[in-house]
Amino acid sequence: MASTGVIPGRQPSWLLTDLYQLSMSSVYHAEDMDREAVFELFFRALPSSRNFVLAVGQQDCLEAMSRFQFGADEIDWLRSLERFPEDFLQMLSRLRFTGDVYAVPEGSVVFPFEPVIQIRAPLIQAQLMETLLLNRIHAQSVIASKAARIILSAGDRPVMDFGARKAQGGEAALNLAKCSWIAGASGTSNMEAGHYLDIPVVGTMAHSFIQTFEDESEAFRRFSKHWPETTLLVDTWDTLRGVDRVIDLIRESDGTSAPVSAIRLDSGDLLTLSIQARQKLDEAGLDHIKIVVSSSINEYRIRALLEQGAPIDAFGVGTEWATVPDAPTLDFAYKLSEFDGLPRMKASTDKVTWPGAKQVWRHWRGRRMTRDLIGGHDETVPEGATALLRPVMESGDLLPGAVNSLNQVREHARQELAALPETLQNIEPAEPYPVSVSPALEEARRQIQARFMDER
């Protein structure tokens, strides 16, 4: 069965929430306010080093929401705090998610203020989803957006995930493998991700293997004996001498199997060393042997190497997309947009939101996206545009097609990235993608702001 990217047994404790969610919910319960609400998750602004966000994590959230239930031990623990009324705890013990959900498909390109997921549910249910949604979608979208940039910079050269050792915990390592695969990586070194997510596993060898032998040639010989068609790490001592020893090993082989398919460079001047290694291999008649590089690889280093003509065939990336040092956060928020049939908004300085349930319509020229329009959910669909938010849950049940296989998500992300305007595919900051707001939404916000100011 094809993986959906949801890790078995990963159902969260519904205590993965902030205290204030439960504090507010207890008041809503006591005041009989549990009427229908609409909440939307979006981000306010792009980091300066981003031209788009690749939204990932929605399916993970949908699976969790479909199994929403506080466990008896969790209710007992809440009771032990002596903070919450017993009738509220009894209500929580019976609570299930019964709402409707709209979401952009996992692996979609999104821009500021565009809802990634929209929850329509009784107020308490919708409120209690906040921490889960922000936690899952924020973390995975940060990684996926970085991975997409790195993969776009590599062109048609494979990029492999080597980042598990630098990820911030085991779940983060799995998210990294998943998100980089969605963004277009060729595989992962993380065996757990291979097992649970059915992502191709890839890998070479460590310097420690070479160091356990007195002779580098013997280390190469022993490893390739057990792992023919392998990639040998040549920079433990002298990189170019290591290349020579790989050439000697191939010449010594009996021809029954190819002992080596590639060499890996993991330190030093990767431009000069890749050129010199390529020259040695070609002069030995080994132009089929690939060159793989790793060592602090990111989109800028890839671009610089390729622009300078480095004969590199593939990249292994670890720390840069495991930690995302240039944009480790996105300004995601989860805000109330409608309650009890009336539009709601926030008017705080620099954090103003748009009122009412919304839809995003994307306009196209051929296969290229050209501009987006944010409008009211029930507004007429503009001619030639496609709606980004799609129904994925109804009355708490997942709808057909709501959760796709990981490979289907990967293909959707590939199409989305290919449909970006060419300027946005560049890793340098570009003119922002055009996103406008409908006149009806503008008027709704003006009216609410005027009423708010009058009341003040």
Side-chain angles (χ1 to χ4, degrees), residues 110-132:
V110 292
F111 300 96
F113 291 102
E114 299 181 346
V116 172
I117 194 165
Q118 180 187 91
I119 309 295
R120 297 166 173 257
L123 179 58
I124 292 174
Q125 295 178 34
Q127 188 76 67
L128 291 176
M129 297 301 115
E130 178 173 1
T131 305
L132 171 83

Side-chain angles (χ1 to χ4, degrees), residues 362-370 384-386 415 418-420:
R362 180 156 291 167
H363 293 259
W364 302 83
R365 182 177 297 115
R367 295 185 178 180
R368 293 276 187 193
M369 58 183 76
T370 58
T386 56
Q415 294 175 4
L420 280 167

Side-chain angles (χ1 to χ4, degrees), residues 11 14 63-70 92 95-97 125 128-129:
Q11 171 68 11
W14 283 97
E63 290 277 10
M65 292 163 67
S66 70
R67 300 193 299 274
F68 172 80
Q69 182 177 358
F70 280 97
L92 284 185
L95 193 63
R96 305 293 184 271
F97 183 75
Q125 295 178 34
L128 291 176
M129 297 301 115

Side-chain angles (χ1 to χ4, degrees), residues 154 157-160 162 292-293 297 302 305-306 312-317:
R157 292 164 178 80
V159 181
M160 298 165 283
F162 288 174
V292 179
V293 302
I297 296 297
I302 289 174
L305 287 166
L306 297 181
I312 294 168
D313 299 291
F315 298 91
V317 182

